[in-house]
Amino acid sequence: MDFNEKQIQILKVAEKLFAEIGFDGTSVRHIAKEADVNVAMISYYFGSKEKLLEALLLYRVADFKMELETVMVQNLPHVEKLDALVSLMVNRIHRNRRTHKIINYEYTNTCRQIDFDAYVEQKKDSLGIIEAFVKDGQNKGVFKTDVHTKLLGATVIGTYFQVYNNKPFYKKLLGLDSDEAFENYMLTSLTQHIQQTIKSLLLNEK
Amino acid sequence: MDFNEKQIQILKVAEKLFAEIGFDGTSVRHIAKEADVNVAMISYYFGSKEKLLEALLLYRVADFKMELETVMVQNLPHVEKLDALVSLMVNRIHRNRRTHKIINYEYTNTCRQIDFDAYVEQKKDSLGIIEAFVKDGQNKGVFKTDVHTKLLGATVIGTYFQVYNNKPFYKKLLGLDSDEAFENYMLTSLTQHIQQTIKSLLLNEK
Amino acid sequence: MDFNEKQIQILKVAEKLFAEIGFDGTSVRHIAKEADVNVAMISYYFGSKEKLLEALLLYRVADFKMELETVMVQNLPHVEKLDALVSLMVNRIHRNRRTHKIINYEYTNTCRQIDFDAYVEQKKDSLGIIEAFVKDGQNKGVFKTDVHTKLLGATVIGTYFQVYNNKPFYKKLLGLDSDEAFENYMLTSLTQHIQQTIKSLLLNEK
Amino acid sequence: MDFNEKQIQILKVAEKLFAEIGFDGTSVRHIAKEADVNVAMISYYFGSKEKLLEALLLYRVADFKMELETVMVQNLPHVEKLDALVSLMVNRIHRNRRTHKIINYEYTNTCRQIDFDAYVEQKKDSLGIIEAFVKDGQNKGVFKTDVHTKLLGATVIGTYFQVYNNKPFYKKLLGLDSDEAFENYMLTSLTQHIQQTIKSLLLNEK
DNA sequence: AATGAATGAGCATTCATTCAT
DNA sequence: GATGAATGAATGCTCATTCAT
């Protein structure tokens, strides 16, 4: 978990390339060249290409750890807390979108011998906190009860990635000319849509 | 679009393997072995591995074509039509989940020289029909107007794939022991959750 | 030796391609496509790619057979006969330059199992006739005797092919802009140079 | 131009095989086996089979560089200088006959993407020196003027290669039993014949 | 007689990894 | 600790040829 400068350099390049052209599509030579290190260094530092991916997961999963508690402890009305929660989730996913994309690609690949335990654990934790918050809101009569609580996270992240994974399509559909415009859209309108979606599900109309 | 029996056999195996272990991770030898055909036959029939994927897209995209119109022309209340629409979408995606997954993997891979035009066109069509239906409902005062109509599809498909792509995680989370139970859950509870999500977004409380 | 129309079509295409891109470099598919026949037809008609080359040799060697005798029997002074002889040789080589080039490529390739007997026989015959003519001239005191008679043919053909095989170089060196200009040069100036060369070797100055 | 021992080993084997069985006919596996190196090493060292050939050309073209000037500056009568020149040319071609043969094969193959610039340049230089020498001899009245000076080189090299490329034929024709006898013939009688040819063309009888 | 379908063998090349230094 | 050199295995693909029809 404590990587030196050169290792981090490799991890960042690997993250970018894995996300862009896939794990299998990326050769260690490509990573080495882009990271301006010797080819052998990757095996030397990480043991293998697969272990490099595992190291990347460890490196990033620490970052996944959302400060959900930070939001939770705030003395905010449930509605506002919900918005803050969704916003935080989207922001976090967005920041680590590359690693998340890799995981989405590779997690169900049974041939791969990658240890996803840390990712799974973190995911379970996050969803647990959200579930508890929703339960609390339901107990207090603020949130509706006829909701698939365990699937709320899937809707948040799923909506985000459906747009992200079809970037060229949505850029055209939404009339977004540049990558910056797209990025901006993700963090404003899309986030707003997801917030609205979750609120619609949980809140009773006034 | 008119493939013979052996070609279809190859296409099906390729679809499975591409979805399971990725396009790059799947070798033509693997496909050939699994499909019980000679390695050379894949190049012979499809020209190349990339063209095989393109053929697969063409083969399946024809199947994507949702009978949205069939639902649309039915003389149903907007609410029920909405449910039917979502149900149809989920079913269709589910049936072609493998090819959709491949597309989600490869569409943004700029290195790849794959022609996704047919897919994009079909996607645009589908979303167009949905958009028109929502617009109609809004004009008739049945649907709310403060909604990101263009993002509704992303929420439907995104939620589905977020669960599908994290199958082992959700099987555990939802206490689903077998693949059959998971599959069943996708087509019942998950579908229900997505229907509920979309309805919450569009319908005014009574 | 009696080929039907389609076989001749194949032979001509094969000759062109073998000469242009070599025997190994030319695939039967390429020949089949260019000759607008089915791939299997080549094996069907000729047995194999190697046998196709042998058939080509047989087909052309018949054409190599110079009408040297025609020149020989003419009642011409030795000097003029010599010029006519060289001119005839160059013309004949030029007409069959493609097949000659292939032979020059493949004759010393010991791996190849090609039967060059007909070619060798024809070559021996031709050189024999020339040798006899030179001997006759020497006996009559018209030609010099201190000459490597057996090498005269090599000088004629060798000079021709050295220019032909370095066509782009000589086009530039000689300021020949087009293929037509080059071709014309081969049949005029180059022929003249070769005639002059042979005459210089054989004739005593006056 | 600065190759290590193993690279030179590969180049020598490649030269031999390319000359014997052609560029297309020679597989990198064959070269690797004969040179007793790993197959991958050829790509590793030279990039590709085509680049291997280019490397070979560069490696040998340096060797083509005839010491024509050495002969030129000698204070010899023109006639003797002419003999020395031809002898030098034949010797040089003979030493590099393999690479020259490859070039003769491949130079006009337009499909091939080989850089022959160095070869062309060297050839131009050599012919230029010879031309200048002949011009000088003509100016001094030693050489005849009615000669295709630019074609003299073609006659020298062409005669050599016509014999070399038809080795089995000429061995039989000239009654040369062994390869050694043939080789010896090339460097004595054949050389003498070529010297005589060029002198006949250029010198006035006494 | 003629051919589309099919195939095993071989191709050049790239891969992740190892190892001597 | 770090690396250039080297490698066996695997890659996608093309080859000449065969064979059922």
Side-chain angles (χ1 to χ4, degrees):
Chain A
M1 205 90 84
D2 46 342
F3 299 112
N4 66 38
E5 207 172 319
K6 230 160 203 176
Q7 284 175 309
I8 290 174
Q9 195 179 342
I10 294 169
L11 286 171
K12 284 184 176 169
V13 170
E15 184 184 40
K16 176 174 162 283
L17 293 179
F18 286 165
E20 275 175 10
I21 50 186
F23 179 78
D24 285 309
T26 307
S27 71
V28 291
R29 266 173 185 73
H30 195 166
I31 298 169
K33 201 176 174 185
E34 201 108 325
D36 199 31
V37 299
N38 187 282
V39 216
M41 187 168 268
I42 288 168
S43 287
Y44 175 66
Y45 270 147
F46 299 98
S48 71
K49 194 183 166 188
E50 298 217 333
K51 292 225 188 81
L52 166 63
L53 176 52
E54 282 190 5
L56 175 60
L57 295 189
L58 280 174
Y59 177 63
R60 283 299 186 213
V61 155
D63 205 36
F64 289 177
K65 182 109 193 70
M66 305 207 233
E67 313 98 36
L68 292 177
E69 288 93 344
T70 330
V71 175
M72 290 305 144
V73 296
Q74 282 172 25
N75 196 10
L76 282 171
H78 276 76
V79 189
E80 289 175 33
K81 216 180 246 183
L82 196 58
D83 268 353
L85 201 63
V86 170
S87 178
L88 185 62
M89 283 181 75
V90 172
N91 265 282
R92 283 289 163 165
I93 298 159
H94 185 69
R95 187 170 335 157
N96 293 303
R97 83 204 96 111
R98 278 195 254 259
T99 297
H100 269 108
K101 193 185 177 188
I102 301 164
I103 292 169
N104 267 4
Y105 277 34
E106 303 299 339
Y107 180 48
T108 51
N109 184 339
T110 49
C111 298
R112 205 84 69 202
Q113 280 300 52
I114 305 286
D115 179 18
F116 286 100
D117 289 356
Y119 162 72
V120 168
E121 217 48 49
Q122 178 278 333
K123 188 152 196 163
K124 214 183 292 178
D125 284 358
S126 299
L127 291 195
I129 291 170
I130 295 164
E131 209 178 332
F133 168 68
V134 172
K135 282 265 159 66
D136 179 62
Q138 288 171 332
N139 289 338
K140 295 205 168 106
V142 188
F143 292 158
K144 290 197 274 189
T145 52
D146 62 337
V147 158
H148 296 79
T149 315
K150 286 182 196 302
L151 296 176
L152 288 176
T155 293
V156 175
I157 304 181
T159 303
Y160 173 88
F161 271 110
Q162 190 57 25
V163 176
Y164 177 61
N165 284 336
N166 289 278
K167 183 170 161 177
F169 176 79
Y170 278 102
K171 275 179 72 175
K172 212 169 169 187
L173 184 74
L174 301 166
L176 305 166
D177 292 331
S178 65
D179 282 359
E180 288 71 32
F182 180 78
E183 183 121 335
N184 183 53
Y185 185 89
M186 300 286 280
L187 295 175
T188 55
S189 300
L190 179 65
T191 304
Q192 200 185 342
H193 166 70
I194 299 175
Q195 287 173 330
Q196 192 178 339
T197 304
I198 300 302
K199 280 190 290 184
S200 304
L201 271 167
L202 284 175
L203 297 180
N204 288 300
E205 295 282 309
K206 272 146 222 177
Chain B
M1 206 91 83
D2 44 343
F3 299 111
N4 65 38
E5 208 172 318
K6 229 158 203 176
Q7 284 175 308
I8 291 174
Q9 194 179 340
I10 293 169
L11 285 171
K12 283 184 176 167
V13 170
E15 185 184 42
K16 177 174 161 283
L17 293 179
F18 286 166
E20 275 175 10
I21 50 186
F23 179 79
D24 285 310
T26 306
S27 72
V28 290
R29 271 172 181 75
H30 194 165
I31 297 170
K33 201 176 175 186
E34 201 107 327
D36 199 31
V37 297
N38 187 284
V39 216
M41 182 153 282
I42 288 168
S43 286
Y44 174 66
Y45 270 145
F46 299 99
S48 69
K49 195 184 165 187
E50 297 218 333
K51 291 224 190 84
L52 167 62
L53 176 52
E54 282 191 4
L56 176 58
L57 295 190
L58 280 174
Y59 178 61
R60 285 299 186 212
V61 155
D63 206 36
F64 289 175
K65 183 107 193 72
M66 306 205 234
E67 313 98 37
L68 292 177
E69 288 94 343
T70 330
V71 176
M72 291 303 144
V73 295
Q74 283 171 24
N75 197 12
L76 282 171
H78 276 77
V79 190
E80 289 175 34
K81 217 181 244 185
L82 196 57
D83 269 353
L85 200 63
V86 171
S87 178
L88 186 63
M89 284 181 74
V90 172
N91 265 281
R92 283 287 162 166
I93 298 159
H94 184 69
R95 188 172 331 159
N96 292 304
R97 82 205 95 113
R98 278 195 255 259
T99 297
H100 269 108
K101 192 185 177 188
I102 300 164
I103 293 169
N104 267 3
Y105 276 34
E106 302 299 340
Y107 181 47
T108 51
N109 184 340
T110 49
C111 298
R112 204 84 68 202
Q113 276 301 52
I114 305 286
D115 180 16
F116 286 101
D117 289 355
Y119 161 73
V120 169
E121 217 48 49
Q122 180 276 334
K123 188 151 196 162
K124 214 185 290 178
D125 285 356
S126 299
L127 291 194
I129 291 171
I130 295 164
E131 209 178 332
F133 168 68
V134 172
K135 283 263 157 69
D136 179 62
Q138 289 171 332
N139 289 338
K140 295 206 167 106
V142 189
F143 293 157
K144 289 196 276 189
T145 52
D146 61 337
V147 158
H148 296 79
T149 314
K150 286 182 196 299
L151 295 176
L152 289 176
T155 294
V156 175
I157 304 180
T159 303
Y160 172 89
F161 272 110
Q162 190 56 26
V163 176
Y164 177 62
N165 284 337
N166 289 278
K167 183 169 160 178
F169 176 79
Y170 278 102
K171 275 178 71 174
K172 211 169 169 186
L173 184 75
L174 300 165
L176 304 166
D177 293 331
S178 65
D179 281 359
E180 288 71 31
F182 180 77
E183 185 122 333
N184 184 52
Y185 184 87
M186 300 286 279
L187 294 176
T188 55
S189 301
L190 179 65
T191 304
Q192 202 186 341
H193 165 71
I194 299 174
Q195 287 174 329
Q196 193 179 337
T197 304
I198 301 302
K199 280 191 290 183
S200 304
L201 272 167
L202 284 175
L203 297 180
N204 289 301
E205 295 283 307
K206 272 147 222 174
Chain C
M1 205 91 83
D2 46 343
F3 299 112
N4 66 38
E5 206 173 318
K6 232 161 202 175
Q7 284 175 308
I8 290 174
Q9 195 178 341
I10 293 169
L11 285 171
K12 283 183 176 169
V13 170
E15 183 185 43
K16 176 174 162 281
L17 294 180
F18 287 166
E20 274 176 10
I21 50 186
F23 180 78
D24 285 309
T26 306
S27 71
V28 291
R29 266 172 185 71
H30 195 166
I31 298 169
K33 201 176 174 186
E34 201 108 325
D36 199 32
V37 299
N38 186 282
V39 214
M41 187 167 267
I42 288 167
S43 286
Y44 175 66
Y45 270 146
F46 299 98
S48 70
K49 194 183 166 187
E50 297 216 332
K51 292 224 189 82
L52 166 62
L53 177 52
E54 282 188 5
L56 176 59
L57 295 190
L58 280 175
Y59 177 62
R60 285 297 187 215
V61 156
D63 206 37
F64 288 178
K65 183 107 194 73
M66 304 206 236
E67 313 98 37
L68 292 177
E69 288 93 345
T70 331
V71 175
M72 290 305 143
V73 295
Q74 284 171 23
N75 196 10
L76 282 171
H78 276 78
V79 188
E80 287 174 36
K81 217 180 248 189
L82 195 59
D83 269 352
L85 199 64
V86 169
S87 179
L88 186 63
M89 283 180 76
V90 172
N91 265 282
R92 284 288 162 167
I93 297 159
H94 184 69
R95 187 171 335 156
N96 294 304
R97 82 204 96 111
R98 279 195 254 263
T99 297
H100 269 108
K101 193 185 178 188
I102 301 164
I103 293 169
N104 267 4
Y105 276 33
E106 303 298 339
Y107 180 48
T108 52
N109 185 339
T110 50
C111 298
R112 205 82 70 202
Q113 280 300 53
I114 305 286
D115 178 19
F116 285 100
D117 289 356
Y119 162 71
V120 169
E121 218 47 48
Q122 178 277 331
K123 188 151 193 163
K124 214 182 293 179
D125 284 357
S126 298
L127 292 194
I129 291 169
I130 296 165
E131 209 176 332
F133 168 68
V134 172
K135 283 265 158 66
D136 180 62
Q138 289 171 331
N139 289 337
K140 297 209 166 102
V142 188
F143 292 158
K144 290 197 276 188
T145 52
D146 61 338
V147 158
H148 295 78
T149 315
K150 287 181 195 300
L151 295 177
L152 288 177
T155 293
V156 175
I157 305 181
T159 302
Y160 174 89
F161 272 111
Q162 189 58 25
V163 175
Y164 178 61
N165 285 336
N166 288 278
K167 183 169 160 178
F169 175 81
Y170 278 101
K171 274 178 73 174
K172 212 170 166 186
L173 183 75
L174 300 166
L176 305 166
D177 293 331
S178 64
D179 282 358
E180 289 71 32
F182 180 78
E183 183 121 334
N184 183 54
Y185 186 89
M186 301 287 280
L187 295 176
T188 55
S189 300
L190 179 64
T191 303
Q192 201 186 343
H193 166 70
I194 299 175
Q195 287 173 330
Q196 192 178 339
T197 304
I198 300 303
K199 280 189 291 183
S200 303
L201 271 168
L202 285 175
L203 298 181
N204 290 302
E205 295 280 312
K206 273 147 222 174
Chain D
M1 205 92 82
D2 45 342
F3 299 111
N4 64 39
E5 207 172 319
K6 229 159 204 175
Q7 284 175 309
I8 290 174
Q9 192 180 341
I10 293 169
L11 285 172
K12 283 184 177 168
V13 170
E15 184 184 41
K16 176 173 161 282
L17 294 179
F18 285 166
E20 274 175 11
I21 50 186
F23 180 78
D24 285 309
T26 307
S27 72
V28 291
R29 271 170 182 73
H30 194 165
I31 298 170
K33 201 175 174 186
E34 201 107 327
D36 198 31
V37 298
N38 187 283
V39 215
M41 182 152 282
I42 288 166
S43 286
Y44 174 67
Y45 269 146
F46 299 99
S48 69
K49 194 183 164 187
E50 296 218 332
K51 292 225 190 84
L52 167 62
L53 176 52
E54 281 190 5
L56 176 59
L57 295 190
L58 280 174
Y59 178 61
R60 284 298 186 216
V61 156
D63 206 37
F64 289 178
K65 183 106 194 72
M66 305 206 233
E67 312 99 37
L68 291 178
E69 288 94 344
T70 329
V71 175
M72 290 305 144
V73 295
Q74 285 171 23
N75 196 11
L76 282 171
H78 276 78
V79 188
E80 287 175 34
K81 217 181 246 187
L82 196 58
D83 269 352
L85 200 63
V86 170
S87 178
L88 185 61
M89 283 181 75
V90 173
N91 265 283
R92 283 287 162 166
I93 297 159
H94 184 70
R95 187 170 334 157
N96 293 304
R97 82 204 96 110
R98 277 196 255 261
T99 297
H100 269 108
K101 191 184 178 188
I102 301 164
I103 292 169
N104 268 3
Y105 275 32
E106 303 298 338
Y107 181 49
T108 51
N109 185 340
T110 49
C111 299
R112 204 83 69 202
Q113 277 301 54
I114 304 286
D115 179 17
F116 286 101
D117 289 356
Y119 162 71
V120 169
E121 217 49 48
Q122 179 277 332
K123 187 150 195 163
K124 213 183 293 178
D125 285 357
S126 299
L127 292 194
I129 290 170
I130 296 164
E131 209 177 332
F133 168 68
V134 172
K135 282 265 158 67
D136 180 62
Q138 290 170 333
N139 288 336
K140 295 203 167 112
V142 190
F143 293 157
K144 290 195 276 187
T145 53
D146 61 337
V147 158
H148 296 79
T149 314
K150 286 182 195 301
L151 296 177
L152 289 176
T155 293
V156 174
I157 304 181
T159 303
Y160 173 89
F161 272 111
Q162 189 58 26
V163 175
Y164 177 62
N165 285 336
N166 289 279
K167 183 169 160 179
F169 176 81
Y170 278 101
K171 274 178 74 176
K172 213 169 166 187
L173 184 75
L174 301 166
L176 305 165
D177 293 332
S178 65
D179 282 358
E180 288 71 31
F182 180 78
E183 184 122 336
N184 183 53
Y185 185 88
M186 300 287 279
L187 294 175
T188 54
S189 300
L190 178 65
T191 304
Q192 201 185 342
H193 166 71
I194 300 174
Q195 288 174 329
Q196 191 179 339
T197 304
I198 300 302
K199 280 190 291 184
S200 305
L201 271 168
L202 284 175
L203 297 181
N204 288 301
E205 295 281 311
K206 269 145 224 176

